[in-house]
Amino acid sequence: MHPLGLELIGIRRRGDDCFAELSIQSLGRNRIIADPLEVPRRAPDIILGSWCGKKFQPAEVAARPGWADVPAIRAGFVREIKSPIILQPGPAALTEGVRAIQQVITEWADAR
């Protein structure tokens, strides 16, 4: 977890942005979710994670206290998007990164 909390990149619930008020912030420091229980309160269906230089561990996210009932965790939709295709500057985030996100969303939609 980010030392100050969770940094929001994008968390959606049933097609709606779970943190719309944060997603409009241009600075990363203004998109940090300080209360880790805020994510379970907003009940996302999909959680995508990526760490620069470190493997994202979905099991560690699922094991967080108070997160067991999050729909994304119950359904197994806590997924990694590899950092080279989503966090690095350049066209990969717009091509490979978007395709990787689309693949998870399609898998989630097909499972419903």
Side-chain angles (χ1 to χ4, degrees), residues 45-106:
D45 293 308
I46 299 170
I47 297 174
L48 301 174
S50 189
W51 285 94
C52 194
K54 181 174 159 179
K55 184 165 174 50
F56 174 73
Q57 300 291 335
E60 289 180 16
V61 173
R64 290 178 176 170
W67 287 46
D69 290 328
V70 171
I73 291 170
R74 284 196 325 261
F77 282 94
V78 180
R79 304 291 173 80
E80 177 181 28
I81 303 295
K82 302 246 182 249
S83 62
I85 64 169
I86 198 70
L87 298 179
Q88 302 299 321
L94 298 175
T95 56
E96 296 175 52
V98 170
R99 276 196 292 273
I101 292 169
Q102 179 186 18
Q103 181 179 353
V104 175
I105 293 170
T106 299

Side-chain angles (χ1 to χ4, degrees), residues 14 45 107-112:
R14 291 179 251 312
D45 293 308
E107 184 183 341
W108 171 81
D110 290 346
R112 296 184 63 164

